[in-house]
Amino acid sequence: MTQRLATTPFGRRPMTLGMISSQVTARAVPKDATVHKWHVFQDIKDARIALGATDRALAILDALLSFHPDTALSGDSELIVWPSNDQLIRRANGMPPTTLRRHLAVLVECGLIIRRDSPNGKRFARKGQGGEIEQAYGFDISPIIARAEEFKDLAEAVRSEKKAFRLVKERLTICRRDIAKMINAGIEEGVPANWGRVQHAYQAIVGQIPRTAPRQTLEAIAEELEGLWAEVREALESFVKTQKVDAIESGNGRHIQNSKPDSKFESESGLRDEEEAGGNVADTDNVRSLPKRELPLGIVLDACPDTLWLVKGGGGIRNWREFLAAAEVARPTMGISPSAWEEARTAMGEQQAAITIAAIYQRQDQINSAGGYLRSLTDRAKAGKFSVWPMVMALLRAKLEASKAAGNGAETAAVDLETAGKVVRTESRLEISDALRRSLNKPGRGS
């Protein structure tokens, strides 16, 4: 083949500096360079977005490469193909002529092919006497060799970015799943923590995730989620470790005994009547003797049955989450301010504060100031002098005493037996100190 003469496009198509740059790159191809055309084409497909090529343009490039008989392209071989538009349309799966022309121009703009137009714009090859091609007009695919390393580097960068994006998406998915389920487990198992705050923080972070976002944005959000994940995990693990220690101590019979079993809390000024009505007069040291385990939900509902009235639709309370929702409904009905409620949740833990609200709601007709009473109990909780165990036990005993006073019929006797059985079973599970049991057994306690 003789020298290439055509360097500008035929017809109205203008010459651009990009075309000149492609031609310069093509002339710089080493004669000994050899590439596998389909391997390079795969790199081009992977780097398609970085190159600015379209899917249709790549379909046309695939067809153009198929017109070259060799799989291995070398720098010293003939690299011009001259298929007609009809031939290209057939190999491009019936692409419309206007679409074909538009995406051929895209290939030229991306520097993937070079136009070698004849004087009349036709594509053909002129052969000599020996059958060798002397001059060819069509599409020069020499950029496939000249830019092979560039395409490979771009493809590797795109693959690495896709992998990093996939990994950060996986991190986000796993973090979201873990945090949501750990929060549910913490609420269901009664782990002491401000789960309302944790849920709010989780929703705030998740709300930042856009529908489409670059990897860097997702990386920042994933780091925030992982920080919250570590916080929730630490709360659950600390609770599990505490439970194991308590179980070991309970199995060995090592209980903290009260050195002053008859000492009582001093009632806060103006709130003595409310404390006695709620059954919360407890010994300071007896609070330390209480087990660290959480109260079973069934026992709490037996002691505070009025809480069931707060459930929407009149259904029952099946788990701690529904119990916490009922407590949220009870709080404003008793005139307890949001600040008092938040302070109680911080000092006691969300579940313990909800049990306290339910107990106050159960005896609200005997309490003058529910908000002041809750603040008093919150102060005691901050000092480590408050537990919901004696409060719930007192309500159960009050329920038993009330059933005894109602009459001696068979139905009343059955209620007595059931309530007394629950109290006995609960106390047998508590493994509390003798001093606390004597305090709970005092006549008139909790009435």
Side-chain angles (χ1 to χ4, degrees):
M1 176 179 174
T2 60
Q3 61 179 350
R4 297 167 182 165
L5 299 176
T7 57
T8 59
F10 172 76
R12 301 179 186 179
R13 290 188 293 269
M15 184 68 180
T16 64
L17 292 178
M19 293 180 184
I20 295 177
S21 176
S22 298
Q23 293 170 7
V24 171
T25 303
R27 284 199 299 268
V29 177
K31 297 299 182 180
D32 57 348
T34 303
V35 299
H36 192 298
K37 66 180 180 181
W38 299 121
H39 291 174
V40 179
F41 180 67
Q42 183 61 49
D43 291 337
I44 292 173
K45 287 198 298 182
D46 291 341
R48 174 180 62 83
I49 297 177
L51 291 171
T54 61
D55 293 335
R56 292 291 186 90
L58 292 187
I60 296 171
L61 180 61
D62 187 7
L64 287 173
L65 292 176
S66 69
F67 282 104
H68 196 286
D70 299 330
T71 300
L73 304 181
S74 58
D76 59 351
S77 62
E78 174 59 51
L79 297 175
I80 295 179
V81 292
W82 52 91
S84 66
N85 282 354
D86 290 338
Q87 291 174 315
L88 277 176
I89 287 172
R90 284 196 296 270
R91 292 203 184 184
N93 302 319
M95 186 179 298
T98 54
T99 303
L100 175 71
R101 289 192 292 270
R102 184 168 65 252
H103 291 285
L104 279 171
V106 171
L107 289 176
V108 174
E109 291 173 4
C110 294
L112 297 175
I113 60 174
I114 299 173
R115 286 184 180 275
R116 301 293 183 186
D117 288 345
S118 65
N120 60 3
K122 301 294 183 179
R123 301 178 203 128
F124 62 90
R126 183 180 296 113
K127 298 181 180 180
Q129 294 181 354
E132 295 182 356
I133 297 175
E134 293 182 348
Q135 185 67 47
Y137 297 100
F139 299 106
D140 189 346
I141 59 174
S142 58
I144 298 297
I145 302 177
R147 302 177 62 187
E149 288 299 321
E150 177 189 349
F151 296 149
K152 184 177 180 180
D153 292 341
L154 280 175
E156 288 294 333
V158 170
R159 293 181 193 121
S160 298
E161 182 64 21
K162 285 183 177 180
K163 181 179 179 180
F165 188 83
R166 184 178 68 253
L167 291 177
V168 73
K169 292 282 285 185
E170 291 176 358
R171 285 170 58 195
L172 281 174
T173 301
I174 293 174
C175 273
R176 293 178 65 175
R177 182 186 66 199
D178 286 357
I179 293 173
K181 292 193 175 183
M182 286 194 296
I183 290 175
N184 288 339
I187 295 175
E188 295 287 346
E189 299 294 336
V191 177
N194 191 347
W195 295 114
R197 181 193 64 80
V198 175
Q199 286 180 319
H200 179 74
Y202 171 70
Q203 293 297 336
I205 297 174
V206 172
Q208 300 176 20
I209 303 177
R211 180 171 297 179
T212 57
R215 176 180 57 83
Q216 292 76 8
T217 301
L218 297 182
E219 289 278 2
I221 297 175
E223 290 180 3
E224 290 188 57
L225 274 179
E226 287 173 347
L228 183 62
W229 180 94
E231 179 183 342
V232 176
R233 184 74 179 184
E234 176 63 24
L236 297 181
E237 289 182 353
S238 298
F239 181 73
V240 170
K241 292 177 182 177
T242 302
Q243 294 291 88
K244 288 183 179 179
V245 172
D246 291 341
I248 293 174
E249 292 181 353
S250 175
N252 293 333
R254 293 158 54 190
H255 302 290
I256 303 175
Q257 298 298 325
N258 180 17
S259 60
K260 297 179 181 180
D262 295 328
S263 64
K264 298 178 182 283
F265 287 132
E266 294 182 2
S267 298
E268 185 169 313
S269 176
L271 297 174
R272 183 182 301 275
D273 295 338
E274 288 85 341
E275 290 181 358
E276 292 176 354
N280 284 305
V281 180
D283 296 345
T284 303
D285 293 332
N286 281 337
V287 173
R288 302 194 199 100
S289 300
L290 288 167
K292 301 299 183 183
R293 297 189 301 274
E294 300 296 338
L295 273 165
L297 178 60
I299 296 298
V300 176
L301 294 177
D302 285 339
C304 310
D306 290 355
T307 309
L308 297 171
W309 300 347
L310 303 170
V311 179
K312 294 181 179 180
I317 295 178
R318 296 164 294 181
N319 50 53
W320 283 113
R321 181 188 298 176
E322 294 178 355
F323 182 80
L324 294 174
E328 289 281 1
V329 176
R331 177 193 62 76
T333 64
M334 295 185 292
I336 297 176
S337 64
S339 61
W341 171 234
E342 183 62 30
E343 188 176 355
R345 290 196 300 178
T346 302
M348 303 177 187
E350 194 164 32
Q351 184 171 313
Q352 303 298 314
I355 295 174
T356 304
I357 289 289
I360 296 174
Y361 186 78
Q362 187 67 29
R363 290 294 186 88
Q364 60 178 325
D365 57 336
Q366 303 176 29
I367 299 175
N368 295 328
S369 174
Y373 186 26
L374 180 62
R375 288 189 184 277
S376 174
L377 298 180
T378 300
D379 292 339
R380 295 182 184 279
K382 291 178 180 178
K385 299 178 180 180
F386 172 73
S387 173
V388 295
W389 284 96
M391 173 186 292
V392 173
M393 291 301 298
L395 288 172
L396 286 173
R397 289 190 176 278
K399 183 178 179 181
L400 177 61
E401 294 296 332
S403 63
K404 287 180 179 179
N408 297 319
E411 182 178 355
T412 302
V415 173
D416 292 347
L417 182 60
E418 180 184 1
T419 305
K422 290 178 179 178
V423 173
V424 170
R425 289 194 300 272
T426 301
E427 290 186 342
S428 66
R429 289 197 297 267
L430 296 185
E431 298 180 357
I432 60 179
S433 67
D434 294 336
L436 180 57
R437 185 172 284 105
R438 287 197 300 271
S439 175
L440 293 174
N441 287 331
K442 289 180 180 179
R445 183 163 181 96
S447 58

